[in-house]
Amino acid sequence: MINYLIKSIINVLIIIFLGAQSFIYLINQRPLTENFSQKKMTVENFSSIVLSNSGITKIGSEKLNRFDENNFYLEGKSYLENKEYKIYGKNISINLSSEISYSNESVEVVNKIGLLKAQGFKNYDYDGKILFEGEVEFVIKK
């Protein structure tokens, strides 16, 4: 009789645990009601690689703000690097669809020829053009 009672209790516990697991599984299968791509995203000490039509560009900043799929804002000290140049500046905005990046803050650009300092820039990456704003100083490497 005691064996029958112990087996019955064990069977009831197994059925309860299986029922609880099934319930948890069903709850976790509900579709998400929020669209996460619409939310603003911020990342601290960000570094990544972006593939564009002009090649691979490494980007980084103290803080990355993502506004949507194509628009990013590199807040604080930031950089853009590819095989041709390295741009170091502050508060750089990037539009991935048009491949345009720009900043109105001071910037330093390093390439194989030398170092350029300017008060701002606009980079048309797809066309391979960088326009500099304000007073510009260029120092040639020796």
Side-chain angles (χ1 to χ4, degrees):
M1 185 69 157
I2 293 176
N3 285 340
Y4 177 75
L5 186 62
I6 291 173
K7 285 182 182 180
S8 296
I9 291 173
I10 290 174
N11 285 338
V12 169
L13 288 175
I14 289 173
I15 291 172
I16 290 172
F17 285 128
L18 288 175
Q21 284 184 338
S22 298
F23 180 71
I24 291 171
Y25 177 78
L26 290 174
I27 288 175
N28 286 334
Q29 295 302 313
R30 278 194 248 153
L32 293 175
T33 57
E34 296 181 43
N35 188 352
F36 289 104
S37 65
Q38 298 297 320
K39 292 187 172 188
K40 181 180 172 184
M41 182 183 78
T42 302
V43 178
E44 302 282 332
N45 297 321
F46 175 79
S47 181
S48 183
I49 295 174
V50 176
L51 180 62
S52 63
N53 289 334
S54 63
I56 296 175
T57 301
K58 183 177 176 185
I59 62 173
S61 70
E62 292 176 344
K63 187 174 184 181
L64 169 80
N65 295 306
R66 177 180 177 237
F67 297 113
D68 58 35
E69 273 184 30
N70 294 314
N71 293 299
F72 296 90
Y73 181 68
L74 306 176
E75 189 175 331
K77 290 182 181 179
S78 309
Y79 65 88
L80 303 170
E81 292 183 20
N82 65 20
K83 62 182 179 181
E84 301 293 325
Y85 58 81
K86 297 175 185 176
I87 299 175
Y88 301 101
K90 288 183 180 176
N91 303 330
I92 299 173
S93 296
I94 300 173
N95 184 316
L96 294 178
S97 63
S98 62
E99 296 189 25
I100 295 175
S101 54
Y102 62 92
S103 174
N104 295 323
E105 304 280 337
S106 62
V107 65
E108 290 185 356
V109 179
V110 179
N111 64 14
K112 58 186 173 188
I113 299 172
L115 169 71
L116 183 137
K117 295 180 182 181
Q119 295 174 348
F121 79 99
K122 193 164 192 178
N123 179 14
Y124 298 93
D125 200 35
Y126 185 74
D127 296 331
K129 296 178 183 177
I130 304 175
L131 303 177
F132 297 100
E133 299 174 359
E135 193 173 312
V136 177
E137 175 186 345
F138 185 70
V139 179
I140 298 174
K141 289 182 184 177
K142 292 183 180 185

